[in-house]
């Protein structure tokens, strides 16, 4: 009897250790991927770049983008590192209680350098390198383009085609609330949460409606962000000072809108031709 009692106690201990290990792995998987920004000395000086109707003001450690003459109407801003990448493998068919895919992070590249601003007409490109944990380097280009009265088009491309995870982050204004569009509840506050957006052609998950799989949301500062990627994505809204976007491929095209009301932002979104996007093959 004592033997079996001891075996049962040992099994309980092992189960507890296994559960703790799995929780630790899950917590690490859900940690935000935030880049560390490295700058050459010449980039520590403030400067402005005009492209089309818009201006990027570089402070020496961060940036804000706004319509020329309206610095209070910030469309997009970042402080410190704003782009990271990596390689990952999603475990098919597994969803946790938050409706997120279980993703194994095999490699992360979150040491970001910013080495050039290049302006060409209504486009402004930010160029640099991403250093991975194994020392490998990948170039990147983040381009902002004047999209007329709607706002901006943002495009990110990575030089290393083997990288199949992209992590973009930007600044939230003090007290800024972020809203999505649910199937049942309509507009709802997403602040403080992680929101999974399924790949194009797959069924909606969680509270997202079919139209919400375009990854469109608005904020209380009357700006909006719409990703046009057709792959699985994850918005991390837990940090009151930062928005994080995880994209399960090595490229991204998105639109950033400005408006004076929620209705205007929705109308601007509707005015853009629908993008038919084919999900990238799993890697």
């Amino acid at each position: 009897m004592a033997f079996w009692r001891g075996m049962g106690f040992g099994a309980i201990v092992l189960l507890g250790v296994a559960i703790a290990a799995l929780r630790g792995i899950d917590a690490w998987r859900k940690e935000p991927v935030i880049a560390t920004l490295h700058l050459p000395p010449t980039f520590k000086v403030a400067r402005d770049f005009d492209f089309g109707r818009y201006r990027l003001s570089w402070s020496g450690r961060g940036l804000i983008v706004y319509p020329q003459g309206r610095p209070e109407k910030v469309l997009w801003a970042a402080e410190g590192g704003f782009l990271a990448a990596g390689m990952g493998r999603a475990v098919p068919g597994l969803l946790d209680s938050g409706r997120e895919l279980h993703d194994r992070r095999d490699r992360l590249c979150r040491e970001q350098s910013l080495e050039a601003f290049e302006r060409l007409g209504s486009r402004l490109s930010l160029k640099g390198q991403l250093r991975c944990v194994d020392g490998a380097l990948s170039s990147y280009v983040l381009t902002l383009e004047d999209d007329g009265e709607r706002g901006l088009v943002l495009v990110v491309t990575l030089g290393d085609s083997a990288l199949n995870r992209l992590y973009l982050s930007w600044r939230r204004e003090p007290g800024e609330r972020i809203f999505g569009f649910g199937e049942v509840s309509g507009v709802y506050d997403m602040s403080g949460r992680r929101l999974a957006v399924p790949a194009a052609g797959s069924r909606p998950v969680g509270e997202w409606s079919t139209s919400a799989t375009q990854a469109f949301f608005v904020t209380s500062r009357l700006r909006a962000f719409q990703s046009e990627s057709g792959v699985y994505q994850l918005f991390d809204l837990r940090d009151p000072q930062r928005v994080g976007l995880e994209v399960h491929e090595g490229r991204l095209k998105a639109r950033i809108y400005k408006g004076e009301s929620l209705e205007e932002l929705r109308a601007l979104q509707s005015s853009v031709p629908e993008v038919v996007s084919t999900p990238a093959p799993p890697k």
Side-chain angles (χ1 to χ4, degrees):
M1 181 66 71
F3 171 79
W4 293 112
R5 195 178 295 121
M7 289 287 290
F9 177 74
I12 292 172
V13 171
L14 289 174
L15 179 61
V17 170
I19 291 173
L22 288 173
R23 285 179 175 173
I25 293 171
D26 189 58
W28 177 80
R29 179 179 63 84
K30 291 183 178 180
E31 281 186 0
V33 178
I34 300 173
T36 301
L37 186 62
H38 301 274
L39 300 168
T42 55
F43 276 64
K44 296 181 180 179
V45 178
R47 63 186 79 177
D48 292 335
F49 300 91
D50 293 342
F51 58 104
R53 299 170 176 80
Y54 300 93
R55 172 173 293 172
L56 183 149
S57 289
W58 172 253
S59 68
R61 60 180 182 179
L63 60 91
I64 59 172
V65 185
Y66 53 89
Q68 292 186 42
R70 299 195 64 186
E72 78 286 353
K73 194 71 176 176
V74 176
L75 270 82
W76 199 68
E79 197 75 16
F82 52 85
L83 180 65
M87 293 177 63
R89 287 182 292 164
V91 180
L94 287 181
L95 295 167
D96 65 17
S97 58
R99 301 297 186 185
E100 297 176 21
L101 288 173
H102 283 259
D103 192 47
R104 175 174 173 175
R105 294 173 178 172
D106 294 329
R107 180 184 179 198
L108 286 177
C109 315
R110 48 183 167 189
E111 289 190 43
Q112 178 192 4
S113 70
L114 179 57
E115 301 168 4
F117 292 93
E118 294 185 2
R119 180 174 48 203
L120 181 61
S122 61
R123 296 182 180 180
L124 180 66
S125 295
L126 287 64
K127 298 183 176 182
Q129 301 279 340
L130 299 174
R131 181 182 293 276
C132 307
V133 292
D134 58 3
L137 292 174
S138 172
S139 62
Y140 73 85
V141 180
L142 185 151
T143 299
L144 298 166
E145 183 176 2
D146 180 350
D147 193 29
E149 291 302 318
R150 280 190 292 263
L152 300 171
V153 174
L154 179 150
V155 177
V156 182
T157 55
L158 303 177
D160 186 349
S161 60
L163 298 175
N164 64 352
R165 298 291 183 269
L166 186 152
Y167 306 92
L168 183 70
S169 62
W170 59 94
R171 192 181 76 196
R172 287 174 69 173
E173 302 302 316
E176 183 176 27
R177 298 167 67 194
I178 298 175
F179 302 90
F181 299 87
E183 193 163 37
V184 178
S185 56
V187 179
Y188 68 100
D189 193 344
M190 306 191 304
S191 301
R193 304 172 61 186
R194 283 163 56 94
L195 259 294
V197 182
S202 64
R203 66 178 181 82
V205 296
E207 297 181 56
W208 289 91
S209 66
T210 303
S211 62
T213 59
Q214 297 176 2
F216 173 76
F217 66 72
V218 300
T219 88
S220 57
R221 292 301 181 96
L222 294 178
R223 55 184 178 178
F225 182 94
Q226 179 182 358
S227 169
E228 294 187 352
S229 176
V231 301
Y232 177 86
Q233 300 167 83
L234 186 72
F235 284 95
D236 191 339
L237 307 171
R238 296 172 296 176
D239 188 335
Q241 298 179 327
R242 183 189 302 263
V243 176
L245 172 62
E246 175 179 328
V247 182
H248 281 206
E249 66 178 343
R251 62 187 183 275
L252 171 67
K253 180 179 179 181
R255 295 179 184 272
I256 302 172
Y257 303 93
K258 60 183 177 69
E260 303 298 332
S261 67
L262 172 62
E263 291 72 22
E264 182 181 355
L265 290 171
R266 290 305 303 269
L268 289 171
Q269 182 220 8
S270 301
S271 69
V272 177
E274 184 177 352
V275 176
V276 178
S277 183
T278 302
K283 296 181 179 179

